[in-house]
């Protein structure tokens, strides 16, 4: 199962399974799904440590080496993130009252702060909804409501996101529409004004070495213009159903991105061998067929011209884990795929 398909599967997981972890009733699905990004991130680390992730097989004849970098993972932090939903009083207000309906569209509030110069037309006063899971477990009334003022965000389509201010507060927070579906990749870029709001962080290349060991190579200090050149060459690619990217297709690269205005940090744009591009921008999977040639050309550019290093994941409490749970020591890495 590849990363984006895994992300989408986690977003679509039945609320009964999430609710049963807390003994809660199967309600307020979007409330439960709000924690999916944290759960997904944690699950990914656990899979890495357990070497259960399915990755693409090495295809080259030689393995040029990359320098290694150790990434420490705190086992206790991972455990807490998996099992603990924050108590109501520990949440920020946008986490407490996260669900808002405006003009017939459902929005989820996020932590992105919208400054005054980015505020557009007013969309009226609405009621935001929240749900206290622990109050429900205690047999108390769990539904919560709070008045908000909604406004457009300049440069961003309200089909994608809006700004909301809770009564009694001064800050406007971004709220996103997870049901938004663009017609083309160009539509996605334009509606979200991504050329001015998106940041590229790094690119990860995952594969299996000749020895059978799992490896991640990370490329930083990216040339943003090269990534945009690639994306614009594919901008007419049409949006396709989320199940279009085959489970049998290997992920070539994962581009880590952030959209601070909307409260996103380290989400992804992924490229697949069969020519698909997928992203989880606005919390739900969006798939585009951009073509094998475009994908492989960009893939070869990254491996040939960008500097990278191999990531070695290691728990800080090694004594409490079996030796098999740690990733292998650094060894040489993969060669460029040939067209």
């Amino acid at each position: 199962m590849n990363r984006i398909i895994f992300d989408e599967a986690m977003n679509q997981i039945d609320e009964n399974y999430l609710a049963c972890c807390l003994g809660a009733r199967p309600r307020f699905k979007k409330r439960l799904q709000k924690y999916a990004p944290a759960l997904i991130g944690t699950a990914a680390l656990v899979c890495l440590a357990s070497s259960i992730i399915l990755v693409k097989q090495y295809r080259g004849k030689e393995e040029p080496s990359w320098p290694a970098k150790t990434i420490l993972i705190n086992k206790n932090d991972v455990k807490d993130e998996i099992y603990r939903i924050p108590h109501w009083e520990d949440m920020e207000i946008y986490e407490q009252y996260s669900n808002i309906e405006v003009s017939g569209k459902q929005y989820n509030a996020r932590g992105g702060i919208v400054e005054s110069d980015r505020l557009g037309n007013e969309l009226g006063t609405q009621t935001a909804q929240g749900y206290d899971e622990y109050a429900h477990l205690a047999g108390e009334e769990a539904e919560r409501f709070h008045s908000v003022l909604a406004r457009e965000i300049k440069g961003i389509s309200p089909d994608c996101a809006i700004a909301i201010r809770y009564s009694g507060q001064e800050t406007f927070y971004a709220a996103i529409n997870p049901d938004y579906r663009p017609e083309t990749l160009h539509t996605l870029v334009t509606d979200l004004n991504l050329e001015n709001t998106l940041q590229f962080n790094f690119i990860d290349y995952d594969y299996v070495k000749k020895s059978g060991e799992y490896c991640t190579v990370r490329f930083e200090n990216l040339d943003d213009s090269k990534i945009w050149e690639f994306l614009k060459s594919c901008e007419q690619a049409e949006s396709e159903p989320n199940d279009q990217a085959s489970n049998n297709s290997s992920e070539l690269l994962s581009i880590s991105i952030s959209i601070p205005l909307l409260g996103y940090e380290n989400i992804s744009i992924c490229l697949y061998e069969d020519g698909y591009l997928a992203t989880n921008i606005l919390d739900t999977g969006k798939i585009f067929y951009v073509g094998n040639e475009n994908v492989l050309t960009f893939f070869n550019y990254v491996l040939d011209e960008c500097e990278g290093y191999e990531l070695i994941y290691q728990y800080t409490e090694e004594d409490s884990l079996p030796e098999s749970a740690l990733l292998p020591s650094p060894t040489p890495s993969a060669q460029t795929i040939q067209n």
Side-chain angles (χ1 to χ4, degrees), residues 126-143:
Q126 312 295 334
T127 299
Q129 184 183 41
Y131 192 79
D132 185 345
E133 300 287 354
Y134 292 96
H136 165 68
L137 291 176
E140 302 170 356
E141 177 58 47
E143 293 185 71

Side-chain angles (χ1 to χ4, degrees), residues 90-335:
D90 296 329
M91 297 180 184
E92 299 290 344
I93 192 168
Y94 61 84
E95 297 174 311
Q96 294 174 329
Y97 306 96
S98 58
N99 301 323
I100 307 100
E101 181 176 344
V102 179
S103 302
K105 296 182 178 65
Q106 296 290 335
Y107 295 87
N108 296 336
R110 297 190 55 84
I113 295 177
V114 184
E115 302 293 348
S116 58
D117 61 343
R118 299 298 303 268
L119 296 173
N121 298 327
E122 288 195 9
L123 298 173
T125 300
Q126 312 295 334
T127 299
Q129 184 183 41
Y131 192 79
D132 185 345
E133 300 287 354
Y134 292 96
H136 165 68
L137 291 176
E140 302 170 356
E141 177 58 47
E143 293 185 71
R144 305 280 188 270
F145 301 94
H146 204 294
S147 176
V148 298
L149 173 64
R151 297 185 64 170
E152 293 182 354
I153 302 175
K154 290 181 181 178
I156 292 182
S157 169
D159 290 339
C160 300
I162 59 173
I164 59 169
R165 184 184 67 196
Y166 295 91
S167 61
Q169 304 285 317
E170 296 183 357
T171 302
F172 276 88
Y173 296 100
I176 62 94
N177 173 16
D179 296 324
Y180 166 78
R181 288 285 182 261
E183 294 182 0
T184 64
L185 182 58
H186 174 74
T187 307
L188 177 67
V189 170
T190 302
D191 285 353
L192 281 168
N193 193 18
L194 292 181
E195 289 193 69
N196 296 308
T197 59
L198 183 147
Q199 298 176 1
F200 299 110
N201 302 320
F202 54 81
I203 295 177
D204 278 354
Y205 168 43
D206 299 338
Y207 75 103
V208 176
K209 301 177 183 179
K210 283 184 174 180
S211 63
E213 295 173 319
Y214 174 81
C215 176
T216 296
V217 179
R218 176 160 295 177
F219 301 90
E220 295 183 326
N221 301 318
L222 306 175
D223 183 346
D224 291 2
S225 66
K226 293 291 186 179
I227 305 177
W228 278 116
E229 181 181 330
F230 161 69
L231 293 175
K232 288 181 178 180
S233 71
C234 314
E235 63 181 5
Q236 296 309 313
E238 296 182 354
S239 177
E240 301 198 12
N242 287 337
D243 59 356
Q244 191 63 44
S246 170
N247 285 323
N248 296 321
S249 176
S250 294
E251 178 187 300
L252 291 181
L253 297 174
S254 174
I255 307 172
S256 168
I257 60 173
S258 296
I259 310 176
L261 177 64
L262 301 182
Y264 285 112
E265 181 180 356
N266 194 25
I267 56 177
S268 64
I269 296 174
C270 291
L271 306 180
Y272 295 89
E273 266 189 334
D274 57 2
Y276 279 93
L277 176 152
T279 181
N280 56 351
I281 293 175
L282 300 184
D283 292 353
T284 49
K286 295 162 184 63
I287 311 293
F288 306 87
Y289 180 72
V290 298
N292 301 72
E293 183 176 352
N294 284 332
V295 167
L296 290 179
T297 297
F298 182 74
F299 174 81
N300 288 335
Y301 155 72
V302 172
L303 265 66
D304 288 343
E305 301 185 34
C306 299
E307 294 184 1
Y309 53 84
E310 180 182 352
L311 298 180
I312 306 299
Y313 291 95
Q314 183 174 335
Y315 278 95
T316 56
E317 296 181 7
E318 295 182 74
D319 293 341
S320 62
L321 292 174
E323 184 178 350
S324 60
L326 300 179
L327 291 181
S329 3
T331 56
S333 343
Q335 178 181 332

